[in-house]
């Protein structure tokens, strides 16, 4: 029929099950280093997101004019953060990589970000360095980055979400020990979701994962840069309290940054 295309030889393509080779990677390698799958490489002025249903990387959004990713941005496979996506990670790498590259990383800490927009949820950003980056061997904690680097990362995560409904606000930093607990909680949350999916697929009615959902304690945050604008709207979960030796109190700068402060 005119105007109608028929491709019977392509029917098998739409019938194929989704490929999950990337998202099914274990979150840690054999040396217990955190695995990060790169989604958006450094220098990109777009955000690329891995689509688990399609099994490929797709365009998420275009960043505001003049804003580019300073380093690789990706996710930890087999984790589920509070926003419903895998844990986000900024990998401080000086080399050029591509979407889909897997990097074994050493955690430095995490920047706590709360999105006060339509859904009102936490969306924390982990910060790590590649274990094979010899020039960054001295970096073991977020405090080793220095205040200027911390402030620039804070500002990037706020500016990159401009013109969206997220309305992010920076709450502070936590160290690698607290982030490790965050990763463990996210792994448990991911396993619970997978169990629930398997039960639904097997036709079980009323099935639920055994045991209560993991609820981590409220963390102690290190002061973020910028003027204070009041306490956080509520407790931030997915972390545990950091040892005080890992934290360094920041001195607010004159540059205004959309952030609030919470100190222990």
């Amino acid at each position: 029929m005119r105007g109608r295309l028929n491709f019977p030889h392509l029917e098998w393509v739409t019938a194929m099950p989704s490929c999950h080779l990337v998202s099914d990677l274990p979150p840690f390698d054999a040396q217990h280093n955190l695995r990060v799958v790169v989604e958006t490489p450094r220098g990109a002025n777009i955000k690329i997101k891995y689509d688990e249903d399609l099994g490929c990387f797709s365009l998420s959004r275009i960043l505001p004019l003049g804003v580019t990713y300073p380093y690789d941005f990706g996710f930890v496979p087999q984790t589920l953060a509070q926003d419903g996506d895998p844990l986000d990670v900024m990998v401080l790498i000086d080399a050029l990589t591509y979407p889909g590259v897997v990097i074994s990383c050493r955690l430095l800490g995490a920047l706590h970000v709360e999105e006060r927009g339509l859904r009102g949820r936490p969306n924390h950003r982990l910060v790590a360095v590649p274990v094979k980056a010899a020039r960054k061997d001295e970096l073991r904690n977020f405090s080793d980055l220095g205040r200027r680097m911390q402030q620039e990362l804070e500002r990037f995560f706020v500016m990159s979400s401009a013109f969206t409904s997220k309305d992010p606000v920076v709450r502070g930093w936590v160290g690698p020990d607290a982030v490790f607990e965050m990763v463990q909680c996210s792994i448990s949350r991911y396993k619970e979701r997978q169990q629930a999916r398997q039960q639904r697929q097997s036709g079980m009615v009323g099935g639920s994962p055994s045991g209560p959902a993991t609820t981590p304690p409220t963390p102690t945050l290190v002061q973020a840069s910028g003027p204070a604008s009041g306490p956080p709207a509520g407790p931030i979960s997915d972390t545990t309290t950091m040892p005080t030796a890992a934290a360094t109190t920041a001195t607010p700068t004159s540059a205004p940054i959309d952030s609030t402060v919470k100190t222990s």
Side-chain angles (χ1 to χ4, degrees):
M1 181 180 298
R2 184 178 180 182
R4 181 178 180 181
L5 300 178
N6 187 19
F7 301 101
H9 59 289
L10 295 181
E11 291 181 356
W12 65 274
V13 175
T14 57
M16 288 180 62
S18 299
C19 180
H20 302 290
L21 295 179
V22 174
S23 58
D24 286 346
L25 285 171
F28 294 97
D29 63 15
Q31 289 73 40
H32 307 289
N33 300 310
L34 189 72
R35 280 195 175 108
V36 178
V37 180
V38 176
E39 292 176 301
T40 307
R42 60 176 296 170
N45 58 357
I46 61 174
K47 182 178 181 181
I48 302 173
K49 188 179 182 65
Y50 179 72
D51 192 317
E52 185 176 343
D53 295 329
L54 296 178
C56 66
F57 296 86
S58 59
L59 174 66
S60 176
R61 70 174 185 271
I62 300 175
L63 301 186
L65 289 175
V67 180
T68 60
Y69 277 85
Y71 298 101
D72 285 359
F73 191 71
F75 68 94
V76 182
Q78 293 196 30
T79 60
L80 185 63
Q82 290 177 291
D83 63 350
D85 294 327
L87 284 174
D88 296 325
V89 187
M90 179 72 80
V91 181
L92 308 184
I93 182 172
D94 297 328
L96 178 63
T97 66
Y98 305 91
V101 172
V102 180
I103 305 177
S104 295
C105 295
R106 179 175 65 253
L107 285 168
L108 300 181
L111 180 62
H112 278 233
V113 179
E114 180 184 346
E115 295 178 349
R116 302 172 297 181
L118 297 178
R119 287 183 279 185
R121 61 188 185 182
N123 191 4
H124 311 319
R125 269 72 168 193
L126 279 61
V127 178
V129 294
V131 295
K132 294 184 178 181
R135 288 190 295 270
K136 298 186 183 298
D137 280 345
E138 73 281 2
L139 299 180
R140 300 288 167 172
N141 192 288
F142 74 91
S143 59
D144 297 330
L145 298 175
R147 283 306 304 157
R148 177 59 185 255
M149 173 69 81
Q150 295 174 34
Q151 291 166 354
E152 291 193 24
L153 290 175
E154 293 168 13
R155 180 160 299 201
F156 167 76
F157 285 122
V158 172
M159 294 176 60
S160 62
S161 298
F163 302 102
T164 68
S165 61
K166 295 183 177 181
D167 188 21
V169 58
V170 175
R171 296 302 189 191
W173 290 82
V174 293
D177 292 340
V179 178
F180 180 78
E181 294 297 328
M182 182 191 302
V183 173
Q184 294 298 325
C185 291
S186 298
I187 293 174
S188 298
R189 191 181 294 112
Y190 175 85
K191 291 180 179 179
E192 291 172 358
R193 186 186 68 175
Q194 294 302 104
Q195 291 175 0
R197 286 181 175 179
Q198 292 174 0
Q199 290 174 352
R200 288 195 298 268
Q201 292 174 357
S202 62
M204 295 180 62
V205 180
S208 60
S210 60
T214 304
T215 304
T218 302
T220 297
L221 301 182
V222 176
Q223 176 179 327
S225 62
S229 59
I236 300 175
S237 58
D238 261 359
T239 62
T240 185
T241 303
M242 270 295 298
T244 55
T248 57
T249 304
T251 301
T253 62
S254 57
I257 298 176
D258 184 10
S259 61
T260 60
V261 179
K262 179 179 178 182
T263 59
S264 57

